[in-house]
Amino acid sequence: MKTSIATVSISGALDAKLRAIAAAGFDGAEIFENDLLSTHLSARDVAKLMGDLGLACTMFQPFRDLEGLPEPQRTRAFDRLERKFDVMAELGTDLLLVCSSCSPLAESDRARMIADLHEAGERAAKRGLRIGYEALAWGRHVNDHRDAWALVRDVDHPALGLVLDSFHSLARGIPSSSIGDIRPEKLFIVQVADAPVLEMDHLSWSRHFRSMPGQGEFPLDDWADAIRRIGYEGYWSLEIFNDRFRAGSATSVALDGYRSLKILEGGITKPSGFQTDMPPRVTTSGIEFIEFAASHEEADALETMLRPLGFRPVSRHRSKDVTRWKQGPINIIVNCEPEGLAHSFDSMHGASVCAIGVVVDDVPAALGRADALRIQRFEQAVAPDEWPIPSVRGVGGSLVYFVDAATREAMWAHEFPTVLEAEAPPLLSRIDHVAQTMQYEEFLSWLLFYVGLFDVRKTPQLEIADPMGLVQSQAVQTPDRAMRITLNGSLAAQSLSSRFIQNYFGAGVQHIAFETQDIFAVAEQAKADGLERLDIPHNYYDDQEARWGLDPALTDRMAAADILYDRDGEAEYLQFYSRAFARRVFFEIVERRNYDGYGAVNAPIRLAAQARHKPEFLD
Ligand code: MG
Ligand code: MG
């Protein structure tokens, strides 16, 4: 896949944008006219810089309001066109994007449009240039790529071709099968954007909400396969207008862009039907362990929560100050090492989750996928007798370990040979989900990380009311729910999420949810053993009784155990929360009765309860 990105997609001055684009790995870039108008560099300087950076100039864009104009506007439009041709010669690109006209003066006379596009093709050909014609979703007379293609086909000029832009086609719901009619030599370039499905006018939707492939909800896999099927071999160029990206770091947005095209190449929600070098997404059978970095004092505090929840310290690391807490299949590692990543993590962030171990069948393939997406590997010196577990950098600088499914028991036996305590009868059955909190600006970036690396699907995006502002929340989960991760980002400076990030110095795990088959038993046992729960006000239970027609005896039991409740059809969800450990991380216990969500409806109740404990949950 030949990769390109429009300079409008990222922040900064044009030269900085181009450096970021080249560093991310792109083959080329489209120069957005406003970026050229606002730089101190001449068009020739830009061409030289792109040459030095190894970037092709894939297109100059956009040229608006060409076809269908009456005189004298028509003559003026063609004069303007000649001026742009001069710039293109200096920029070193032969392709100009002409969008379908939005001018109120443009006439719907098709013969006139054909004549104008033919004239443009003639003029371009004289200068050795080409014109790519694109149907804007809000074009006055041409707003459908089928109509744009019919014009290009009927003009039949070698210097006039089509530009397909996924946004304009998919926002209007145009079937991708219609791409089959397009001749590949007439498809000059393909522009790619994803977007959430929104009910709003096409122009505002396009200008503010476009996103990278994989971050939105458009059916891009079918669209891209339809383009490959006709034999297109040109550039795939991102054209993303998004307020968040324009406020973000050019380097990281460019890297996300490159990553998103590689994800598209292999298929976003299903493997592409075409040959690709992209290793497949990593399938996982779940989370093998969660590792906390902590001082000894913090580890003692953590113990007061782990024990009542049924964990026991079962073994110690062969050479390090690291303890394995366990019950059934759930492993919590507490790392008190005075040096290394865990220690620097603890010094920087305070006691917190520094790594997650994910079980994979094929470790080299998982690393291959990460490399192809330019996800950074983490290398740390390993003693000769230590078990090597490869890892990559994840959210907030934490690690994602790839644990080999075939050898994990051997790994535990080798790494943790010193037996401490026997396991207690398990209260919890598995890790249900891990909740990570991040800056609103990085939310889409981490979403892309997960959907790119792992075989996971996104749930719909939700907005959750914190007493101090809105929090955006979305989950990624494997098809079999073996791994579920929820992502939360907040714009509101004083929401719990934002305070978490401020006090924690960055993104990270905010809570871990464990599943049980009997939540009442866990709530009672844990309390008897000293676990403090987050208390839920009685008004909540009155409402639950009224809302669902629950038996008052049941709501009394839930109230006594601070258990929150949700229902989806016949499916039920019961959940309770611990108080915070190290004023930061907390635990959730859930019982799922065929319920597939996360109790989002209860999140405002939980957040308000935590806000009442504000000195404890971050001040
Ligand atoms: Mg476009
Ligand atoms: Mg949760």
Side-chain angles (χ1 to χ4, degrees):
M1 173 186 267
K2 285 158 68 180
T3 56
S4 164
I5 182 172
T7 54
V8 69
S9 311
I10 59 177
S11 62
L14 181 57
D15 49 337
K17 291 184 189 212
L18 291 171
R19 287 179 214 285
I21 289 167
F26 285 93
D27 302 312
E30 296 175 21
I31 299 292
F32 183 65
E33 184 171 37
N34 269 11
D35 282 325
L36 185 65
L37 300 182
S38 57
T39 180
H40 62 285
L41 300 174
S42 69
R44 276 185 211 285
D45 291 340
V46 172
K48 162 108 178 41
L49 176 61
M50 292 184 80
D52 292 346
L53 293 169
L55 286 175
C57 186
T58 54
M59 185 157 67
F60 183 50
Q61 66 123 320
F63 187 91
R64 303 181 193 281
D65 299 332
L66 178 72
E67 80 284 15
L69 292 175
E71 291 295 358
Q73 286 82 6
R74 180 177 187 280
T75 301
R76 263 189 242 139
F78 278 98
D79 288 348
R80 209 158 38 89
L81 186 67
E82 295 285 355
R83 300 285 294 274
K84 299 307 164 193
F85 288 163
D86 298 339
V87 176
M88 289 166 67
E90 296 186 350
L91 263 183
T93 181
D94 74 337
L95 186 58
L96 177 71
L97 174 78
V98 172
C99 336
S100 60
S101 184
C102 299
S103 168
L105 299 173
E107 291 162 14
S108 62
D109 178 354
R110 191 166 189 273
R112 167 44 112 13
M113 289 188 222
I114 287 183
D116 288 347
L117 290 170
H118 190 272
E119 167 86 24
E122 279 291 292
R123 291 181 183 226
K126 258 188 212 138
R127 320 250 312 230
L129 304 175
R130 299 179 301 152
I131 285 172
Y133 183 61
E134 174 190 61
L136 295 179
W138 52 89
R140 186 165 172 81
H141 302 296
V142 178
N143 48 38
D144 182 321
H145 72 241
R146 291 170 292 195
D147 296 332
W149 164 241
L151 283 168
V152 166
R153 182 196 60 209
D154 294 350
V155 169
D156 195 22
H157 193 287
L160 182 78
L162 186 70
V163 175
L164 275 182
D165 180 323
S166 59
F167 182 87
H168 296 301
S169 299
L170 298 176
R172 297 189 69 98
I174 299 168
S176 293
S177 55
S178 62
I179 292 168
D181 297 336
I182 299 166
R183 295 205 305 274
E185 75 278 8
K186 286 302 221 182
L187 183 52
F188 284 179
I189 198 164
V190 163
Q191 291 183 313
V192 195
D194 203 344
V197 172
L198 301 169
E199 287 295 327
M200 67 190 305
D201 70 282
H202 291 129
L203 180 61
S204 308
W205 188 8
S206 172
R207 292 276 162 85
H208 302 286
F209 296 98
R210 286 185 181 221
S211 60
M212 311 287 187
Q215 292 175 333
E217 299 168 280
F218 278 174
L220 284 173
D221 287 329
D222 290 342
W223 177 81
D225 272 354
I227 290 169
R228 294 181 189 112
R229 200 167 293 122
I230 63 169
Y232 174 77
E233 285 179 349
Y235 284 97
W236 296 75
S237 192
L238 293 170
E239 189 190 37
I240 318 284
F241 309 96
N242 184 302
D243 303 334
R244 277 194 253 187
F245 299 161
R246 278 183 288 228
S249 133
T251 311
S252 61
V253 173
L255 181 58
D256 278 350
Y258 177 82
R259 195 168 279 170
S260 74
L261 283 178
K262 300 311 281 184
I263 294 169
L264 178 68
E265 182 178 356
I268 299 168
T269 60
K270 57 183 181 188
S272 161
F274 289 78
Q275 187 66 35
T276 163
D277 294 336
M278 279 302 289
R281 287 171 301 160
V282 179
T283 54
T284 170
S285 52
I287 294 175
E288 180 70 6
F289 65 82
I290 294 174
E291 180 172 345
F292 280 86
S295 66
H296 284 115
E297 206 182 356
E298 292 160 339
D300 290 345
L302 183 56
E303 173 165 2
T304 66
M305 307 192 93
L306 292 179
R307 268 189 194 277
L309 286 172
F311 290 94
R312 293 293 178 270
V314 296
S315 52
R316 214 183 133 75
H317 191 270
R318 58 192 296 114
S319 59
K320 291 181 177 168
D321 191 351
V322 179
T323 306
R324 177 191 187 191
W325 290 72
K326 182 176 186 297
Q327 68 176 302
I330 316 173
N331 295 287
I332 303 286
I333 302 304
V334 181
N335 188 329
C336 299
E337 272 286 282
E339 48 195 47
L341 176 95
H343 177 68
S344 51
F345 217 83
D346 183 42
S347 311
M348 169 87 177
H349 303 293
S352 50
V353 172
C354 62
I356 293 174
V358 174
V359 184
V360 303
D361 283 334
D362 186 341
V363 173
L367 287 168
R369 176 77 183 181
D371 289 346
L373 295 174
R374 298 196 160 203
I375 290 171
Q376 196 190 340
R377 283 200 200 191
F378 176 72
E379 319 270 0
Q380 172 166 263
V382 179
D385 62 342
E386 235 178 298
W387 195 278
I389 316 173
S391 61
V392 296
R393 288 279 186 178
V395 172
S398 66
L399 301 184
V400 175
Y401 282 103
F402 295 130
V403 177
D404 184 355
T407 59
R408 59 184 154 163
E409 286 309 326
M411 169 192 83
W412 287 120
H414 181 271
E415 288 292 276
F416 289 83
T418 313
V419 175
L420 301 174
E421 288 181 33
E423 269 191 71
L427 294 173
L428 310 172
S429 50
R430 60 190 292 273
I431 295 168
D432 186 87
H433 62 273
V434 175
Q436 295 186 317
T437 293
M438 57 208 56
Q439 304 275 9
Y440 179 74
E441 290 75 21
E442 3 164 47
F443 185 93
L444 286 174
S445 184
W446 290 113
L447 188 68
L448 191 71
F449 172 89
Y450 284 113
V451 301
L453 185 56
F454 292 105
D455 182 19
V456 289
R457 305 284 182 280
K458 309 187 289 274
T459 60
Q461 211 171 80
L462 299 173
E463 280 182 344
I464 290 170
D466 179 282
M468 302 302 283
L470 280 183
V471 177
Q472 184 178 41
S473 183
Q474 193 162 16
V476 291
Q477 52 197 25
T478 55
D480 64 357
R481 310 294 187 262
M483 182 173 79
R484 301 170 177 253
I485 292 173
T486 62
L487 309 179
N488 302 282
S490 174
L491 263 180
Q494 288 304 314
S495 68
L496 182 68
S497 300
S498 293
R499 283 182 277 127
F500 172 88
I501 294 163
Q502 286 154 18
N503 290 31
Y504 184 85
F505 295 106
V509 171
Q510 197 181 23
H511 77 260
I512 299 165
F514 300 112
E515 192 181 11
T516 177
Q517 311 309 316
D518 186 351
I519 196 167
F520 289 101
V522 178
E524 281 148 30
Q525 175 80 55
K527 184 161 194 185
D529 291 344
L531 182 82
E532 284 197 79
R533 292 190 303 250
L534 186 67
D535 25 275
I536 304 302
H538 212 279
N539 293 346
Y540 171 81
Y541 295 98
D542 292 342
D543 177 61
Q544 293 302 302
E545 212 171 288
R547 180 181 305 193
W548 306 111
L550 297 178
D551 180 350
L554 175 63
T555 46
D556 285 351
R557 249 189 117 193
M558 293 198 302
D562 296 303
I563 289 172
L564 298 160
Y565 179 86
D566 189 28
R567 185 185 279 181
D568 181 5
E570 292 299 300
E572 294 176 298
Y573 191 60
L574 295 93
Q575 50 181 162
F576 77 84
Y577 292 94
S578 77
R579 303 279 286 272
F581 150 68
R583 304 171 82 187
R584 189 170 294 117
V585 185
F586 53 93
F587 297 104
E588 176 185 4
I589 308 301
V590 308
E591 182 181 333
R592 292 181 181 276
R593 300 176 180 167
N594 298 317
Y595 179 98
D596 196 34
Y598 297 87
V601 68
N602 291 322
I605 307 294
R606 185 256 294 176
L607 288 162
Q610 290 173 324
R612 282 195 296 279
H613 295 291
K614 195 168 164 185
E616 174 186 315
F617 286 96
L618 314 170
D619 42 18

